[in-house]
Amino acid sequence: NVTGKVTADNLVEHFPLCMQHLHRKLRELRHLKHFGRIQYNLFLKGIGLSVEEALIFWRKSFSNITDDTFQKEYAYNIRHNFGMEGKRHDYTPLNCMSIIMNKQPGPGDQHGCPFKHFSEDNLKAFLVQTGLRKDEYLKEILDLVRGRHYQIACTKYFEITKCLEDSNIKDGGEKHLIETITHPNNYFEQSLKLAKT
Ligand code: SF4
């Protein structure tokens, strides 16, 4: 089932950095603040979790609180994202523009886009941790970030880690090997598709 798969690292490796960060922080802190929950919950909905699966996933992840607290403080909003409460609006997963431009993360927040919201040192460390090791590639990505080309940096990161480093495909230079990333769910789908081919 999909809930089981989300907890498995082989699926998480297809997540873009924004969602990998939320996933790691959720595991570490056993909690995410409001906008982090919305960003991650809608992404999970987009990859195919049902509302029941999402509730189980979040309940298991928030392992420091009681069932009662979970039901009172969190379950409503999780169902709300799935259009099961309030005005029953069926919310769509957030795209990159909205993650980059809206709701700037403050202290203790984990939502947002690492390319836009991390300090350069933190971004560099995260890039290295997630598999980007060559200096020339790191420089290329950080230059794009300095120029505020966050989605192109994300696309380059995808191409380098998934198309170039493990294969003999030549760097296309200006030519992109994949569509420019404009949505975290599209990143996930393209990554999964590549793994299957
Ligand atoms: Fe996520 Fe989009 Fe930022 Fe990539 S560019 S990390 S998909 S928000």
Side-chain angles (χ1 to χ4, degrees):
N1 78 20
V2 197
T3 318
K5 283 190 208 147
V6 172
T7 55
D9 287 334
N10 62 351
L11 200 66
V12 176
E13 80 187 26
H14 299 294
F15 289 8
L17 288 188
C18 51
M19 302 305 168
Q20 285 202 35
H21 176 66
L22 286 167
H23 188 81
R24 286 171 177 216
K25 283 292 167 185
L26 177 59
R27 277 196 174 169
E28 181 190 321
L29 307 169
R30 304 182 183 285
H31 185 263
L32 285 178
K33 288 173 87 175
H34 183 66
F35 291 116
R37 293 200 300 274
I38 293 181
Q39 182 176 320
Y40 196 29
N41 196 35
L42 291 176
F43 171 77
L44 294 176
K45 176 182 170 185
I47 73 169
L49 253 72
S50 66
V51 65
E52 292 79 17
E53 288 169 326
L55 284 163
I56 295 169
F57 171 77
W58 287 102
R59 178 65 199 103
K60 280 191 180 156
S61 302
F62 280 29
S63 52
N64 283 345
I65 57 168
T66 62
D67 274 340
D68 196 40
T69 309
F70 181 78
Q71 289 306 329
K72 277 190 190 138
E73 294 184 21
Y74 303 105
Y76 178 91
N77 280 322
I78 292 162
R79 285 197 299 269
H80 193 269
N81 292 161
F82 279 79
M84 311 299 285
E85 300 283 358
K87 289 184 187 155
R88 301 195 166 254
H89 179 78
D90 197 11
Y91 294 91
T92 48
L94 304 179
N95 63 27
C96 296
M97 248 357 220
S98 141
I99 293 171
I100 289 168
M101 304 300 290
N102 301 336
K103 314 282 185 218
Q104 300 303 297
D109 280 327
Q110 310 299 341
H111 67 277
C113 167
F115 294 100
K116 153 91 181 181
H117 297 115
F118 277 22
S119 69
E120 189 167 313
D121 283 350
N122 283 351
L123 176 61
K124 200 171 163 188
F126 196 24
L127 291 171
V128 172
Q129 246 177 50
T130 54
L132 201 85
R133 302 222 162 75
K134 285 189 190 158
D135 282 347
E136 58 187 285
Y137 289 147
L138 279 170
K139 184 181 175 310
E140 196 177 345
I141 303 257
L142 294 174
D143 282 347
L144 285 165
V145 170
R146 282 186 208 114
R148 301 186 185 178
H149 305 298
Y150 310 116
Q151 287 164 256
I152 299 176
C154 183
T155 310
K156 259 289 161 204
Y157 170 83
F158 183 116
E159 291 176 335
I160 293 165
T161 53
K162 295 177 188 295
C163 309
L164 295 175
E165 290 213 314
D166 296 331
S167 76
N168 294 322
I169 301 172
K170 273 203 162 351
D171 190 346
E174 290 306 301
K175 194 174 145 285
H176 287 300
L177 300 169
I178 58 157
E179 291 166 37
T180 303
I181 301 297
T182 56
H183 201 296
N185 287 88
N186 175 256
Y187 184 108
F188 174 80
E189 279 150 27
Q190 292 201 70
S191 177
L192 210 59
K193 198 169 125 202
L194 203 70
K196 284 182 185 158
T197 53

